């Protein structure tokens, strides 16, 4: 077999079959995928939840992950944030002619590992090969179906609820920027990219009454809180000093002129619980990341706005991010 992807590997013939069987199915095969029909019958699910996402990140391999890990974790995290256990995924590749098969296999192996963490399967998929110059290496689309265990939704948010963050923030955006620009730091920054279902499952098993969750991806924590504030006509009041930010990440933010609240995360989420559950939830989150913290409260002082209290006690609005912050981070 050749060492790079050729146009013939997307022709639907023998070369295409070899690419699928030797590079993709070899790692991802299961009882559903090996049927290799036009569509896959699935068992019935109670309270199914469906999501889709496309991944065009640059660089494809970054400190803390690669596009394969990101694609599976990202799609599964969208389900987990709705209180749904990931079950079945579709996987579509758009691959540039000349892409190294060794790198493609590395990506697929990352997917296999992340699928195992979530207990989910690829059940259908597609590959397309496009001429050199038509895309930047490889693009991936993943759609995912999960089974809802709890009703996590912004609809549940009420005044008096506590806001928590599951770890230090802005790692993914800073790591991608550093990797893309070749910036060398005294302490390398790794993306926080990871699957969140195991943490969510632990919160559920501990009888934490989860009201809402959202992974703080594009737009960071600022986007999540502003969306919630506007959707519920409440005020999200947070304290800057309660957030943990890596020194390297802070340095990247100074270079970019951004504040860390708007930079993307890929394994850090914001959680809303009733006051009675806040400490217990924090303890569980800190088992996975010691920087998890209770960072604020839902109030009604400025409906639809986010208030950020500085470490010196001053307050200001934290607005929804605007403009192009960092392209192709996911």
């Amino acid at each position: 077999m050749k060492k790079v992807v050729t146009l013939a590997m997307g022709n639907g013939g023998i070369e295409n079959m070899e690419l699928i069987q030797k590079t993709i199915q070899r790692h991802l095969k299961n009882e559903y995928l090996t049927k290799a029909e036009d569509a896959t019958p699935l068992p019935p699910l109670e309270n199914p939840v469906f999501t889709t996402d496309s991944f065009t990140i640059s660089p494809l391999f970054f400190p803390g992950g690669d596009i394969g890990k990101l694609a599976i974790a990202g799609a599964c995290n969208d389900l987990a944030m709705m209180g749904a256990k990931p079950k079945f995924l579709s996987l579509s590749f758009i691959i540039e002619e000349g892409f190294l098969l060794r790198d493609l296999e590395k990506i697929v192996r990352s997917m296999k590992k992340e699928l195992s963490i979530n207990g989910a399967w690829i059940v259908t998929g597609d590959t397309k090969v496009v001429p050199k110059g038509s895309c930047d290496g490889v693009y991936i689309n993943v759609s995912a179906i999960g089974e809802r265990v709890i009703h996590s939704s912004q609809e549940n948010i009420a005044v008096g609820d506590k806001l928590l963050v599951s770890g230090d923030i802005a790692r993914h955006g800073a790591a991608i920027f550093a990797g893309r620009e070749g910036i060398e730091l005294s302490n390398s920054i790794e993306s926080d990219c990871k699957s969140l279902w195991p943490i969510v499952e632990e919160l559920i098993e501990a009888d934490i009454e989860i009201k809402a969750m959202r992974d703080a991806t594009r737009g960071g924590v600022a986007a999540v809180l502003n969306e919630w504030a506007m959707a519920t006509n409440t005020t999200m009041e947070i304290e800057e000093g309660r957030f943990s930010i890596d020194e390297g990440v802070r340095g990247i933010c100074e270079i970019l002129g951004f504040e860390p609240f708007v930079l993307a995360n890929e394994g850090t989420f914001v959680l809303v619980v009733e006051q009675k559950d806040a400490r217990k939830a924090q303890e569980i989150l800190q088992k996975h990341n010691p920087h998890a913290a209770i960072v604020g409260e839902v109030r009604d002082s400025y409906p639809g706005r986010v208030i950020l209290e500085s470490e010196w006690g001053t307050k200001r609005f934290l607005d929804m991010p605007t403009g192009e912050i960092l392209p192709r981070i996911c």
Side-chain angles (χ1 to χ4, degrees), residues 4 7 31 55 64 79 143 176 195-196 198 211 227 231 239 256 310 322:
V4 298
L7 286 176
E31 62 181 295
F55 299 86
L79 296 174
S143 296
I176 296 303
S195 293
L196 295 172
K211 303 194 79 173
E227 286 177 14
E239 296 180 40
L256 291 171
S310 75
T322 62

Side-chain angles (χ1 to χ4, degrees), residues 190 198 248:
E190 282 201 357

Side-chain angles (χ1 to χ4, degrees), residues 150-152 200 203-204 208-213 271-273:
I150 60 166
H151 186 77
S152 168
V200 172
L203 290 167
I204 294 170
I208 301 294
E209 191 175 331
I210 297 170
K211 303 194 79 173
M213 296 178 282
L271 171 68
V272 184
V273 299

Side-chain angles (χ1 to χ4, degrees), residues 64-321:
D66 57 54
I67 190 172
K69 177 180 181 182
L70 178 69
I72 301 301
C76 290
N77 286 350
D78 285 346
L79 296 174
M81 294 299 97
M82 295 299 289
K85 174 175 172 49
K87 301 282 284 188
F88 305 116
L89 284 68
S90 72
L91 170 62
S92 290
F93 285 107
I94 296 177
I95 310 167
E96 183 183 23
E97 176 191 12
F99 192 72
L100 289 174
L101 278 166
R102 180 185 64 221
D103 286 346
L104 182 61
E105 188 159 1
K106 187 176 177 183
I107 289 167
V108 174
R109 283 181 177 153
S110 288
M111 292 180 153
K112 178 183 180 182
K113 183 177 180 182
E114 219 58 28
L115 285 163
S116 175
I117 292 171
N118 285 279
W121 299 276
I122 300 292
V123 296
T124 189
D126 184 45
T127 59
K128 292 287 188 297
V129 180
V130 296
K132 194 169 185 61
S134 299
C135 78
D136 188 6
V138 60
Y139 297 155
I140 297 174
N141 174 268
V142 175
S143 296
I145 299 174
E147 197 160 36
R148 206 167 198 185
V149 180
I150 60 166
H151 186 77
S152 168
S153 169
Q154 62 188 20
E155 299 170 355
N156 302 326
I157 296 173
V159 172
D161 290 341
K162 289 291 186 181
L163 300 165
L164 293 91
V165 67
S166 67
D168 55 316
I169 62 171
R171 275 188 172 272
H172 183 71
I176 296 303
F177 179 78
R180 191 181 300 170
E181 301 300 324
I183 296 174
E184 294 185 6
L185 301 166
S186 56
N187 61 325
S188 64
I189 305 169
E190 282 201 357
S191 168
D192 61 334
C193 179
K194 67 178 178 184
S195 293
L196 295 172
W197 173 249
I199 305 174
V200 172
E201 190 173 37
E202 198 170 333
L203 290 167
I204 294 170
E205 289 174 349
D207 291 326
I208 301 294
E209 191 175 331
I210 297 170
K211 303 194 79 173
M213 296 178 282
R214 182 77 62 84
D215 49 342
T217 55
R218 283 179 297 176
V221 171
V224 171
L225 294 177
N226 272 283
E227 286 177 14
W228 280 350
M230 287 185 277
T232 59
N233 204 32
T234 59
T235 310
M236 302 291 152
E237 291 201 20
I238 54 174
E239 296 180 40
E240 187 174 19
R242 292 182 178 274
F243 287 86
S244 179
I245 302 162
D246 176 85
E247 282 306 310
V249 172
R250 199 180 292 278
I252 292 291
C253 288
E254 289 175 0
I255 293 171
L256 291 171
F258 290 139
E259 56 184 342
F261 297 101
V262 307
L263 281 192
N265 312 270
E266 283 294 342
T268 302
F269 65 105
V270 186
L271 171 68
V272 184
V273 299
E274 286 191 13
Q275 189 167 357
K276 65 179 178 59
D277 288 328
R279 291 292 176 196
K280 188 175 178 182
Q282 179 185 240
E283 289 172 5
I284 293 170
L285 295 177
Q286 285 179 340
K287 289 195 295 184
H288 299 271
N289 187 323
H291 301 297
I294 301 168
V295 294
E297 186 172 313
V298 181
R299 294 179 180 162
D300 58 2
S301 51
Y302 293 92
R305 303 301 301 269
V306 178
I307 304 291
L308 177 67
E309 182 177 335
S310 75
E311 296 181 66
W312 296 275
T314 58
K315 293 184 178 182
R316 65 179 173 89
F317 292 123
L318 180 64
D319 293 322
M320 177 72 90

